[in-house]
Amino acid sequence: MAVGIFDSGLGGLTVLDAAQARLPDVPFVYLGDNAHAPYGVRDAEDVHNLTRANVHRLWDEGCDLVILACNTASAAALRRMQEAGVPQGKRVLGVFVPLIEALTEREWGDNSPPREVAVKHVALFATPATVRSRAFQRELAFRAIGVDVEAQACGGVVDAIEEGDLILAEALVRSHVDALKRKMPEPQAAILGCTHYPLMEQVFQAALGEGVSVYSQASLVAESLADYLTRHPNMTGAGTESRYLTTGDASRVSDRATQFLRRQITFQAA
């Protein structure tokens, strides 16, 4: 019954935590490619090749459905993998869909023409690779018109979080918000376009101000996954146990993950 969750590092644990709370009876296999993190500074070809290899690893683990809990992987690899063809009975999904559904207030399966939405000025905080891909803007344009998106590449934030230096991460977030507000002084909504960023959600909100709606991915993705599995119960796969796998140093990653989620997490070498 296992569902696979993949991330370049620890950020996807925010999605995993929310998914486990929403779906307590579903086993999850988490795979972090910590040996190659962060993905946000890599080029699109490199991200695609790494993502593809790790998705296949999770399929081999008995996870017919794999969630790319990594915005960089979703931006640079997902569409290409889907266009190349996914093996029969397997699925790979990204994390942009639930965000855009929430922002546009329309379901992903709604194929009606793009229309006006309430939010006109959106700040996107993401990794440099996600910003370069313009994947969020492209997907949003299929569903909404008249929305101004200003993207801010948040260099250094993922590295600081992965290293456990939350003081540096908070300082970097405030700096990136200041930079964004120089380009878009009054955003109505902010998208935290990296699964590491929910750990900094309160910092983003404080820096942006109470009047800005902050969209964070973890709970949105968990709810979307629950809905998907209700509609496709056969996609829970053959795995029966929750596991945590990493391409990095399992002991070090376990320590970081335990600090990250504030509960004991034990990784095994992938």
Side-chain angles (χ1 to χ4, degrees):
M1 289 174 56
V3 171
I5 295 185
F6 168 68
D7 187 64
S8 60
L10 297 178
L13 290 174
T14 60
V15 172
L16 174 69
D17 206 35
Q20 287 177 323
R22 180 64 180 82
L23 297 161
D25 296 328
V26 175
F28 290 90
V29 179
Y30 184 91
L31 173 57
D33 191 12
N34 301 81
H36 301 104
Y39 279 15
V41 295
R42 294 180 177 273
D43 63 40
E45 185 69 20
D46 200 14
V47 171
H48 169 263
N49 292 337
L50 289 169
T51 301
R52 184 177 181 277
N54 283 290
V55 167
H56 278 263
R57 172 61 195 270
L58 283 170
W59 284 337
D60 291 342
E61 288 287 330
C63 303
D64 291 342
L65 172 62
V66 176
I67 307 298
L68 300 184
C70 173
N71 287 269
T72 302
S74 294
L78 179 59
R79 183 174 291 272
R80 183 172 167 186
M81 288 181 65
Q82 291 174 334
E83 289 175 348
V86 173
Q88 186 174 1
K90 308 293 186 185
R91 293 290 185 275
V92 54
L93 303 174
V95 288
F96 282 145
V97 171
L99 272 178
I100 294 174
E101 286 179 329
L103 188 64
T104 61
E105 298 182 349
R106 61 187 293 190
E107 294 183 359
W108 196 253
D110 180 349
N111 292 317
S112 59
R115 58 177 180 257
E116 295 275 351
V117 295
V119 176
K120 300 296 185 185
H121 304 288
V122 177
L124 170 64
F125 296 97
T127 66
T130 298
V131 170
R132 285 196 306 270
S133 75
R134 295 188 60 81
F136 179 83
Q137 292 93 320
R138 182 181 64 241
E139 299 293 346
L140 180 63
F142 290 142
R143 289 157 184 82
I145 57 175
V147 181
D148 179 22
V149 178
E150 188 66 59
Q152 176 64 33
C154 297
V157 175
V158 169
D159 302 85
I161 292 173
E162 290 274 338
E163 291 299 320
D165 192 343
L166 299 187
I167 293 175
L168 174 59
E170 290 178 10
L172 288 168
V173 166
R174 288 191 290 268
S175 174
H176 289 307
V177 170
D178 287 344
L180 182 284
K181 292 178 78 171
R182 287 194 291 272
K183 297 178 287 185
M184 179 181 279
E186 296 183 356
Q188 295 169 278
I191 301 297
L192 304 188
C194 174
T195 48
H196 285 75
Y197 298 173
L199 291 175
M200 297 286 110
E201 183 173 354
Q202 292 182 347
V203 182
F204 276 103
Q205 186 72 75
L208 286 161
E210 293 183 2
V212 180
S213 299
V214 175
Y215 289 82
S216 187
Q217 290 178 305
S219 58
L220 292 173
V221 171
E223 194 59 42
S224 181
L225 175 60
D227 177 68
Y228 184 88
L229 291 178
T230 298
R231 291 181 288 111
H232 303 90
N234 60 314
M235 292 308 301
T236 49
T240 57
E241 294 182 333
S242 290
R243 302 176 64 202
Y244 301 89
L245 305 174
T246 178
T247 59
D249 182 307
S251 177
R252 183 175 183 275
V253 173
S254 296
D255 289 343
R256 291 285 185 235
T258 298
Q259 178 186 12
F260 205 76
L261 291 186
R262 296 180 173 85
R263 59 183 172 88
Q264 183 63 45
I265 303 290
T266 302
F267 274 79
Q268 300 172 324

